[in-house]
């Protein structure tokens, strides 16, 4: 029996002090590109988000070489996403004892790297494949049409 082998490794940066919109502008440029091309793009782009994303891409490549033993020339950015983090709220003193709220947005960035040189399938034990799951799905061979058309639920007027 053949089973799919894990080929993806990721790096996660949380609470990075910038808005998610500004980080997505850079992430959209590197998604799906090779590792070396990504590093060149990030070094030449003039945005502040590039430095944080550069460090995450470098960390994901280090994770891939450490965990999978892969070469950096075979790596591709398979998934890159930016989510909004918590908003840091501060109060700035103003005139006449009043205060002004300052909101500092943060974001979470995930970079997933795939190694193209690894074999996609590995062989697993036959007895593991024969082991049945502990749960049973009752309606695996019945479709939506089979359930409702025979009882005439939708045929009533």
């Amino acid at each position: 029996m053949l089973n799919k082998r894990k080929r993806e490794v990721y790096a996660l940066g949380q609470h990075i002090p910038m808005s998610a919109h500004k980080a997505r502008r850079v992430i959209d440029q590197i998604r799906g590109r090779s590792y070396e091309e990504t590093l060149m793009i990030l070094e030449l782009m003039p945005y502040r988000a590039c430095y944080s994303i550069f460090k995450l891409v470098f960390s994901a490549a280090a994770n891939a070489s450490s965990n999978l033993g892969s070469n950096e020339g075979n790596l591709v950015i398979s998934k890159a996403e930016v989510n909004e983090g918590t908003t840091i709220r501060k109060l700035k003193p103003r005139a006449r004892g009043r205060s002004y709220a300052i909101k500092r947005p943060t974001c979470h960035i995930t970079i997933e790297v795939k190694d193209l040189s690894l074999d996609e399938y590995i062989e697993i034990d036959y007895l593991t494949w024969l082991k049945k799951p502990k749960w049973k799905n009752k309606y695996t061979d019945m479709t939506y049409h089979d359930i409702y058309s025979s009882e005439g639920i939708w045929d009533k007027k």
Side-chain angles (χ1 to χ4, degrees):
M1 170 97 191
L2 298 176
N3 191 12
K4 193 166 187 170
R5 184 176 179 182
K6 184 176 179 184
R7 301 185 305 169
E8 294 92 13
V9 179
Y10 71 95
L12 176 65
Q14 292 186 328
H15 306 290
I16 297 173
M18 74 182 67
S19 70
H21 182 72
K22 291 177 183 177
R24 278 191 200 109
R25 180 172 52 184
V26 177
I27 286 288
D28 290 339
Q29 299 297 320
I30 66 167
R31 192 177 291 124
R33 297 185 186 261
S34 67
Y35 174 70
E36 287 99 7
E37 189 178 0
T38 300
L39 293 184
M40 284 193 308
I41 288 172
L42 290 174
E43 285 178 358
L44 297 174
M45 285 181 87
Y47 302 119
R48 192 186 72 154
C50 292
Y51 181 69
S52 302
I53 295 170
F54 181 85
K55 290 200 307 185
L56 280 172
V57 169
F58 194 77
S59 175
N63 290 344
S65 64
S66 175
N67 297 345
L68 300 178
S70 60
N71 188 9
E72 293 176 350
N74 301 324
L75 297 178
V76 172
I77 309 295
S78 64
K79 182 174 145 185
E81 63 181 20
V82 179
N83 298 321
E84 289 185 8
T86 57
T87 301
I88 300 171
R89 291 178 178 86
K90 297 179 180 180
L91 292 176
K92 184 174 183 179
R94 300 307 294 248
R96 298 185 182 181
R98 296 186 177 128
S99 62
Y100 177 72
I102 298 174
K103 296 179 182 176
R104 299 287 307 270
T106 62
C107 64
H108 307 313
I109 302 175
T110 306
I111 305 287
E112 190 170 302
V113 177
K114 182 187 285 187
D115 190 357
L116 297 177
S117 67
L118 290 178
D119 296 329
E120 189 170 341
Y121 294 100
I122 59 170
E123 207 167 311
I124 63 168
D125 189 21
Y126 182 69
L127 295 175
T128 309
W129 181 70
L130 283 177
K131 186 187 264 187
K132 293 185 179 180
K134 296 179 182 177
W135 54 272
K136 288 185 179 180
N137 192 353
K138 297 178 184 177
Y139 303 110
T140 54
D141 55 348
M142 295 180 74
T143 62
Y144 181 80
H145 181 70
D146 294 337
I147 295 170
Y148 291 109
S149 66
S150 62
E151 298 169 4
I153 294 175
W154 303 112
D155 296 333
K156 293 180 183 178
K157 293 185 181 180

